[in-house]
Amino acid sequence: MRLTELVGSWVEVGDDVDPREALAKLEQAEHVVVTTADGSTLGVLDEAELTAFDARDTALAALAQRFPPLLVLADHPDELSGDELVDLAELVGRIDAHHVLLVNEGRPAGVVSRATIATALPLDLLAADVRSGDPDVPALGYVCTRCTPPYHLRLSTPTPDGRPPTCGRIAFHGEMEPDA
């Protein structure tokens, strides 16, 4: 999965603006990246988070302790395997981050929301009771039901040609089925 395909629209605002000014910027983007005068990032906020602040004339810097946890991927790779995407999703959930900030060369380069990450997850890597994910993402888990007991295989990345692998136990069983 290309990480840049998951990036939502964002705009940078200074920590000296108040929540109303930042909300006005959301007419142009989905997220605001709040930065200090020296270029440090304080957080990433969306409309719901900005609306929750009741301080009208208070600068965002004074509200920073109420920002959601910030997860930053610095100098990130553009390609993430399905397992890396699942690891990222688990980390986002564990620290309760709402957004992931992508940073290149010390500057904000993109924002990926928690919901976007959940939608991009391959369905076969999720627990059976989870109903999000992208059915177009190639499977990484396969099973040969012709084997007794069934032979299970989990790939770290999709096969180069996108086709299922052949049974690793008995080759004439042919292609394996996605393990749902």
Side-chain angles (χ1 to χ4, degrees):
M1 170 66 55
R2 293 183 60 83
L3 199 52
T4 53
E5 293 173 2
L6 303 178
V7 172
S9 59
W10 61 280
V11 63
E12 195 170 328
V13 299
D15 64 349
D16 58 338
V17 303
D18 67 43
R20 287 178 303 177
E21 292 175 77
L23 270 170
K25 296 283 188 178
L26 288 179
E27 292 178 10
Q28 309 161 25
E30 299 170 75
H31 308 94
V32 293
V33 177
V34 182
T35 57
T36 62
D38 69 358
S40 300
T41 303
L42 288 182
V44 177
L45 303 169
D46 61 22
E47 183 176 6
E49 293 154 350
L50 284 167
T51 304
F53 294 127
D54 52 9
R56 297 201 191 319
D57 295 318
T58 304
L60 289 171
L63 301 169
Q65 72 277 3
R66 294 175 45 198
F67 289 3
L70 179 62
L71 176 57
V72 176
L73 290 182
D75 301 319
H76 57 86
D78 189 37
E79 287 285 331
L80 290 181
S81 70
D83 286 337
E84 290 170 325
L85 192 58
V86 168
D87 289 345
L88 178 61
E90 288 173 349
L91 179 58
V92 165
R94 188 169 58 250
I95 69 170
D96 197 28
H98 299 181
H99 318 281
V100 175
L101 177 65
L102 308 179
V103 172
N104 281 331
E105 299 178 12
R107 298 292 309 150
V111 175
V112 180
S113 72
R114 181 180 187 152
T116 301
I117 292 170
T119 301
L121 290 171
L123 289 173
D124 69 322
L125 294 180
L126 302 175
D129 60 340
V130 176
R131 294 291 176 237
S132 63
D134 186 347
D136 297 325
V137 174
L140 296 177
Y142 293 90
V143 62
C144 178
T145 56
R146 294 175 202 89
C147 287
T148 306
Y151 174 71
H152 293 268
L153 174 68
R154 173 136 342 250
L155 303 174
S156 60
T157 59
T159 57
D161 61 357
R163 296 181 51 91
T166 58
C167 177
R169 188 182 290 160
I170 303 173
F172 71 83
H173 281 177
E175 289 185 351
M176 300 175 74
E177 300 169 14
D179 190 7

